Amino acid sequence: LGTLPFSAPHEYSAASSVEEYCSVPVLLSPSQRYTLLTELITTARKEIGGLKAILLRLCGPDFQLSLPVELLARDVLLTYDPDALVSRLNKVHAGGVLTIWQDLRVDTCAAGTNEISVAIHDEDHIPQFMRFLKASTTIASLSACNETVLVGSHAVTAGAIA
Amino acid sequence: MKSMRCEEITVDAICHWRMEPPFAFDLESNIERIDLLAACIGAQIREVLPAEKHDYDLVLCSSYLSQYLLCDSRNLAALMEGIHKACDLYPLTLVHSYECAGWSYALRFLADHARTRKAILVVIDIDIVNLGFFLDHPLIGKSGFGITSILLQLPAHGGEVVFVDGPYDGSGFKEFIRAIRSFRTEMSVERTFLPFFRDDLAEIAARILGRESLGPNLAPEFGHCFGSDAWIGIIRSMAGNPVTEPRRVIAATLAYHGYMGLCTAKITKETTAEFLAFKSDLGTLNQMIARKQTERGASALAYGRGA
């Protein structure tokens, strides 16, 4: 388990309490993950007109590496749970909300599934969303891509980096 | 140069609980600690909420909150549901990636997507698994842990309420000071509340920005308290100097990687403030939660050491 330097005995047991076995391989470095997420966001902005918000799942800070400026942009919110905010935002904007859920393992002690799910949450933006899917080099590199149509929502789910 | 002009927010209440680590060391499991933390956060939110029911947007912000625990959706749900149970408000979300500037980015988001003018930002910096690294960081110095709730009103006519910038190399101290100087040319304020810096950085800030124009640097007393510093400084300034006329102050925050946030906060005589400091053992925390339940509705300024 690679984490912050420990200096007290109890820290080893504390760290082991959050450690979990994860057989999913680490395929990306932290900076590669940021590059990949930046590509998704910049391509989405280019292909989907009228985006009001991009909600990206990113958990705690990486104290070894700063966030790229694109991820700090005004239309992006970095949050633990993008989907939880969709209904709130749709009440204000009536559409134009893109969610990017990612669980990419990077070379830290965090577990992950190496999956990415992107979704648009209103009917009007679906054609542009489809163009975004075709244009994104990240989406093109996914080993498996399952497209899902939900009511009022269109998503590509469980695309995995392999 | 782009205008940095921002609309002011009105602060209705600020509450900081300084919670000495270790956090609930006497509990056996992390999920029990998460439940207890949720109860503490909920108790503090109740403390700042007015007695009459309102519709508030609640966002949680953190620099340091045992991220490997909360990446697990079950633990995150336990935290969110525990807060909801304790205060009857369900948090919209938790932001954590912005380090100490989290509250400023959350404020930008709330203002840009305002559904209601009323919001609560809760800054949470508690190490649930009690690691030691941030107790005394080699660059930052000693840290202070705790929870801060800020009950605020966004401007009625909308508009930008916070200037954010970054990232910058070297923690962006130089760019931060410059940004404050520029911000103050556009906003007329009484004082500026900075993060609590080590003595050397605090001295540079005082010389450039003017010592009298700054809130106290409480690093020697409290250490660096992540995103809570400016708000603790504002509480302290209110404790010694009751508000009779509205005051406009800058709350400023700077993160390790140079993300920064500046906003103008209006403090009025109706603004309530509380600072309590206590240990984080199970008995003390349960006493605090019970005490706050019985005190619910009390909103007088309190400043002192708690249970």
Side-chain angles (χ1 to χ4, degrees), chain B:
Chain B
M1 186 186 170
K2 175 181 170 258
S3 170
M4 295 170 75
R5 183 154 190 85
C6 292
E7 303 298 325
E8 67 192 22
I9 59 166
T10 302
V11 176
D12 290 334
I14 323 171
C15 180
H16 178 77
W17 291 353
R18 179 177 175 80
M19 296 158 71
E20 295 293 343
F23 178 77
F25 210 54
D26 30 13
L27 283 176
E28 288 197 357
S29 71
N30 289 325
I31 192 67
E32 287 175 292
R33 289 192 196 97
I34 290 170
D35 288 342
L36 181 61
L37 177 61
C40 291
I41 296 166
Q44 189 182 81
I45 293 169
R46 281 201 315 269
E47 184 76 6
V48 298
L49 279 175
E52 68 274 20
K53 206 100 165 135
H54 282 292
D55 190 16
Y56 286 91
D57 276 342
L58 166 62
V59 175
L60 313 178
C61 320
S62 181
S63 308
Y64 194 73
L65 188 62
S66 310
Q67 57 177 292
Y68 301 125
L69 267 183
L70 293 171
C71 278
D72 184 323
S73 59
R74 294 163 298 185
N75 292 333
L76 181 65
L79 181 74
M80 298 300 204
E81 284 161 16
I83 292 171
H84 179 226
K85 188 177 163 193
C87 72
D88 210 22
L89 280 176
Y90 202 95
L92 285 178
T93 193
L94 166 64
V95 299
H96 196 172
S97 307
Y98 305 97
E99 303 168 1
C100 298
W103 64 259
S104 61
Y105 282 83
L107 184 56
R108 178 180 69 172
F109 173 82
L110 285 171
D112 283 351
H113 308 283
R115 182 185 57 89
T116 167
R117 283 183 61 209
K118 293 179 178 289
I120 306 174
L121 296 173
V122 182
V123 182
I124 310 158
D125 289 301
I126 297 289
D127 187 352
I128 301 166
V129 294
N130 293 308
L131 301 179
F133 186 62
F134 268 93
L135 294 177
D136 197 350
H137 188 279
L139 292 176
I140 298 167
K142 290 191 186 304
S143 299
F145 295 83
I147 306 169
T148 304
S149 291
I150 305 126
L151 183 80
L152 61 94
Q153 295 179 49
L154 297 167
H157 48 281
E160 290 186 43
V161 298
V162 61
F163 170 81
V164 297
D165 199 11
Y168 288 103
D169 292 337
S171 292
F173 181 78
K174 177 178 71 198
E175 289 81 2
F176 180 61
I177 298 298
R178 278 188 192 147
I180 290 170
R181 273 209 306 205
S182 302
F183 194 76
R184 293 202 302 201
T185 63
E186 301 207 36
M187 313 290 292
S188 176
V189 296
E190 194 174 300
R191 291 176 95 185
T192 301
F193 291 86
L194 302 181
F196 301 154
F197 288 124
R198 284 183 340 226
D199 286 348
D200 49 355
L201 293 179
E203 184 58 26
I204 294 169
R207 288 186 183 202
I208 296 173
L209 296 172
R211 205 173 301 277
E212 303 74 27
S213 73
L214 301 180
N217 178 38
L218 300 174
E221 189 175 352
F222 296 138
H224 169 56
C225 305
F226 303 95
S228 292
D229 286 346
W231 303 105
I232 296 170
I234 292 170
I235 297 171
R236 171 64 72 90
S237 73
M238 292 171 68
N241 184 13
V243 181
T244 51
E245 296 295 322
R247 291 179 196 159
R248 285 169 179 81
V249 300
I250 294 174
T253 186
L254 178 65
Y256 186 73
H257 279 112
Y259 324 136
M260 66 181 78
L262 309 173
C263 79
T264 304
K266 183 168 83 173
I267 311 293
T268 71
K269 61 184 178 187
E270 284 80 29
T271 304
T272 63
E274 180 184 79
F275 179 105
L276 294 175
F278 44 87
K279 291 182 176 170
S280 302
D281 61 278
L282 178 61
T284 304
L285 293 177
N286 277 330
Q287 277 178 30
M288 279 303 300
I289 293 165
R291 190 173 121 189
K292 290 300 171 187
Q293 280 170 341
T294 58
E295 285 177 0
R296 188 172 181 182
S299 57
L301 179 67
Y303 188 89
R305 187 162 287 276

